Amino acid sequence: MFWRPMAVADLPSVFTLACAIHVDFFEAFEVMADKLAAYPAGGLTLARSEGGIGGYVLSHPYARDRVPKLNQMLGGLPAEADIYYIHDVAIDAAARGQGHADAAVEILTEHARSAGFTEMRLLSVNNSTAFWSRKGFAAIQETSVDVSSYGEDAVYMGKLL
């Protein structure tokens, strides 16, 4: 398996995988398509050699101390985009534990640096804070970010590049 740029044609498979993995964090097909359209360079799919996908990434520039609301259209990138935001890294059960998430974070980090960003941020959900901490992210305590649509265990995290 290998990461490659996400194509619009991948969206039905990405949506199916998202529905299976993120049962508590539903986003409509149109919302996922909107994120890819807003920043195509931020979409990746984990391609299986036999066909199909084993994971996906959605990421994009965004504004510091803001988090896109769950299941709402971006409608484009904010003019004040000053951080690189990782919206979703999802790996199906059969592909987990093989370093694919680590590779995705490396790809995103290099992309963010080359695009001129000096900071990455994300919202950790599903008890993934330990993973993100190993990748150099730390909880951002002093912020007014509204994470309520992402559940009680959501943690706003960031790292300097």
Side-chain angles (χ1 to χ4, degrees):
M1 284 190 265
F2 60 95
W3 288 105
R4 64 166 173 77
M6 185 184 293
V8 172
D10 293 321
L11 284 170
S13 296
V14 166
F15 179 70
T16 298
L17 185 57
C19 289
I21 292 174
H22 297 306
V23 293
D24 294 329
F25 303 104
F26 175 80
E27 288 199 301
F29 180 89
E30 295 78 16
V31 171
M32 296 181 84
D34 174 67
K35 286 179 175 59
L36 182 61
Y39 195 70
L44 300 171
T45 50
L46 183 59
R48 295 182 184 280
S49 56
E50 67 277 8
I53 66 166
Y56 70 89
V57 168
L58 287 169
S59 63
H60 50 80
Y62 211 60
R64 181 181 319 279
D65 294 330
R66 285 178 43 201
V67 173
K69 297 276 189 234
L70 186 63
N71 201 31
Q72 289 188 7
M73 304 283 234
L74 285 179
L77 301 176
E80 67 277 15
D82 57 354
I83 54 101
Y84 195 80
Y85 186 77
I86 300 174
H87 180 75
D88 199 0
V89 175
I91 311 289
D92 74 12
R96 289 184 194 145
Q98 300 172 36
H100 300 302
D102 293 333
V105 174
E106 288 177 28
I107 292 167
L108 294 175
T109 301
E110 182 53 39
H111 174 76
R113 278 191 188 113
S114 67
F117 291 96
T118 59
E119 187 173 1
M120 296 175 77
R121 294 201 176 180
L122 56 86
L123 196 60
S124 168
V125 297
N126 290 333
N127 299 310
S128 62
T129 303
F131 168 80
W132 293 111
S133 294
R134 287 192 303 275
K135 300 288 133 205
F137 288 82
I140 298 171
Q141 303 297 333
E142 297 178 27
T143 183
S144 60
V145 172
D146 178 12
V147 301
S148 60
S149 66
Y150 290 90
E152 291 182 16
D153 77 331
V155 178
Y156 189 52
M157 302 181 80
K159 80 171 181 176
L160 298 176
L161 299 178

